[in-house]
Amino acid sequence: MNASVLVTVEELQRSLVGDRPPLVFDCRVFRNEEQASSRRYLPESLSLDLERDLSAPPGEGGRHPLPSHDDFTATLQAKGVTRERPIVVYDDNGGQLAAARAWWMIAHWAGHPDVRVLDGGMTAWALAAGELVEMTAEPRERSQWLPAFDDEALVSASALLARGGQLVDARALPRFRGVEEPLDPVAGHIPGAKCRPCSENLDATGHFKSPRRLAEELPRADSVTVYCGSGVTACHNILAYAVAGLPLPRLYAGSWSEWIRDPARPVATGD
């Protein structure tokens, strides 16, 4: 397993009491205030919210467009992020939602050198460690870190089809086929894409599959671009490529929810 990308519960426990404890970010998505108020958190973890911190308001860029450079820089500084301090992000189970998005944004878009995802997420922590607290911590102090954003890690809608290579869709197969679409007004997928549901990156326990198995399963091409419904679970596929030790795909951040805003863009259904 790629130790620079994932961290186990045991490794995180040791590092939290070590000389260089990481900043830990809780990235779980709470559906309502009642659900959020009943949750417990890893000790000393800070909140990093998908809607507030990891996305701009929905609109022309889709349901979860990336924030501006300035806005995300302000978020990271407010959370006390520095280049020197390691970061661990987690969510409910396996990084399927916002933890993978946070990992990609901080490490590969903003350029932080040491960001890892808790393998198995909160589920694994609760089973192995047990210690939880009732609320997240507050940032100790604001930082002055200035990220070096790499927009070459992104692909725009206008460049997507002209770019060539392989498109990989992280949504479940029924959504890819256009059989159902619970979130967006048009069903289907971008022509030429292959379906690789992000759930297939995990084993039955909610941990990532082995690097060897992921390398065998993930779509391969000279150039790979990943997308999903709104640029969140696509990052889980990028994380899987990293675990497998493969070159990282680019991200079409607007994804399906942006693609379908222009009726001139082609739509495919079926396999």
Side-chain angles (χ1 to χ4, degrees), residues 95 150 157:
D150 179 15

Side-chain angles (χ1 to χ4, degrees), residues 173-188:
L173 189 58
R175 293 182 68 192
F176 177 84
R177 288 174 169 166
V179 174
E180 62 180 45
E181 181 46 67
L183 298 173
D184 293 306
V186 177

Side-chain angles (χ1 to χ4, degrees), residues 45-191:
S45 62
L46 306 175
S47 175
L48 200 59
D49 183 78
L50 173 62
E51 307 290 345
R52 182 181 63 251
D53 300 320
L54 302 176
S55 306
E60 289 299 320
R63 285 187 280 108
H64 291 108
L66 291 174
S68 69
H69 290 182
D70 287 346
D71 285 348
F72 194 49
T73 296
T75 293
L76 295 176
Q77 289 178 344
K79 300 292 184 181
V81 172
T82 65
R83 183 176 176 83
E84 294 74 27
R85 189 172 182 184
I87 292 172
V88 171
V89 295
Y90 74 90
D91 56 27
D92 286 300
N93 185 18
Q96 284 196 56
L97 288 171
R101 166 93 162 210
W103 165 82
W104 181 87
M105 288 177 65
I106 301 171
H108 294 283
W109 188 42
H112 192 285
D114 191 355
V115 185
R116 294 189 284 173
V117 176
L118 178 61
D119 194 22
M122 174 62 86
T123 302
W125 179 275
L127 288 172
E131 183 185 5
L132 299 171
V133 296
E134 292 186 356
M135 62 184 64
T136 55
E138 293 292 330
R140 293 191 177 125
E141 58 183 40
R142 187 181 184 88
S143 80
Q144 299 300 314
W145 184 50
L146 295 175
F149 287 97
D150 179 15
D151 288 330
E152 291 298 312
L154 295 162
V155 175
S156 67
S158 61
L160 192 59
L161 291 179
R163 174 177 164 78
Q166 181 60 60
L167 277 172
V168 178
D169 189 321
R171 297 173 300 162
L173 189 58
R175 293 182 68 192
F176 177 84
R177 288 174 169 166
V179 174
E180 62 180 45
E181 181 46 67
L183 298 173
D184 293 306
V186 177
H189 61 267
I190 301 173

